[in-house]
Amino acid sequence: MSSPDPSFRMRPAALLGRLMLVCALSGALAGCFQPLYAENSTTGGPALLDKMKDVEIVQIQGRLGNDLRNDLIFALTGGEGNPKGAPLQMIITVDSSVSTALINSASGLPENQIIRVTANWRIIKADDKKKATVTEGAATGTATIDTSDQRFANYSAQIDAEKRAARSVADQIKAQLAAWFIRTGNAPPARSAS
């Protein structure tokens, strides 16, 4: 183990000067960062959170579609519920697939499976009679499960994995939608006061 060189000693004034320089630079750089979902948006117009609350999620068929819709509504509105009469509507189609990752060589049964949830989404203006697409995207989420000899346990594990993958898909769609709002500086038309 080595000890510090006794001939090298920093004077207290020089040490204090360096410490003040580090603090000054840290303070100057602290203002350079802004959270993506901050209330004060740098893109102008309403804040990003308010823009996302102006997207109504249209009903999606099936249990998996309902799980994805609920996760997405919560992600976009922060738990305020699906906005009725919103200027934008999101239409989503969702699909799930299962693939086997590992097979037991003795029994020939799968030991591990990969659950993949894929969603294709598009945004339309609610008042557009032609239902023209404003923007669209796709998201995919995966989750793995270990299978067993018990049929109900496998079924329950698959449902839980689909829910985990749907949560991942909802987060991806939220990020894609936020990026679209920021990139285009697009503010939805104002709601009519009723």
Side-chain angles (χ1 to χ4, degrees):
M1 189 154 124
S2 64
S3 59
D5 185 8
S7 64
F8 178 76
R9 280 188 88 177
M10 189 176 282
R11 293 179 300 193
L15 184 63
L16 183 62
R18 286 186 181 183
L19 184 62
M20 288 176 51
L21 179 65
V22 168
C23 290
L25 289 175
S26 298
L29 290 175
C32 295
F33 302 101
Q34 178 183 358
L36 178 63
Y37 303 110
E39 286 294 329
N40 55 348
S41 175
T42 59
T43 60
L48 182 60
L49 289 174
D50 291 337
K51 290 179 184 181
M52 294 177 118
K53 290 178 184 177
D54 281 339
V55 178
E56 178 183 358
I57 311 301
V58 178
Q59 184 70 37
I60 308 169
Q61 296 300 316
R63 179 196 47 78
L64 179 59
N66 190 47
D67 289 342
L68 174 61
R69 181 174 183 255
N70 289 340
D71 288 338
L72 195 55
I73 290 170
F74 187 82
L76 294 181
T77 65
E80 293 181 13
N82 201 20
K84 295 294 179 194
L88 299 174
Q89 292 180 334
M90 181 180 283
I91 300 169
I92 303 172
T93 57
V94 65
D95 187 34
S96 175
S97 64
V98 179
S99 59
T100 301
L102 296 172
I103 296 179
N104 185 327
S105 59
S107 67
L109 297 173
E111 289 183 351
N112 190 304
Q113 292 182 328
I114 300 171
I115 311 299
R116 179 182 304 271
V117 174
T118 306
N120 295 311
W121 60 272
R122 64 188 183 103
I123 299 281
I124 61 171
K125 290 185 179 177
D127 57 358
D128 185 10
K129 301 294 182 206
K130 296 180 182 180
K131 305 292 184 198
T133 300
V134 176
T135 187
E136 60 188 349
T140 302
T142 59
T144 60
I145 60 172
D146 292 330
T147 58
S148 70
D149 298 346
Q150 300 176 2
R151 190 178 300 168
F152 179 75
N154 292 338
Y155 177 73
S156 180
Q158 182 174 348
I159 289 176
D160 288 345
E162 285 178 343
K163 287 181 181 182
R164 289 193 316 268
R167 240 177 274 123
S168 173
V169 167
D171 290 341
Q172 289 178 34
I173 292 174
K174 179 183 178 182
Q176 292 170 1
L177 188 60
W180 177 72
F181 277 129
I182 290 172
R183 184 177 59 248
T184 62
N186 186 4
R191 293 186 196 184
S192 60
S194 39

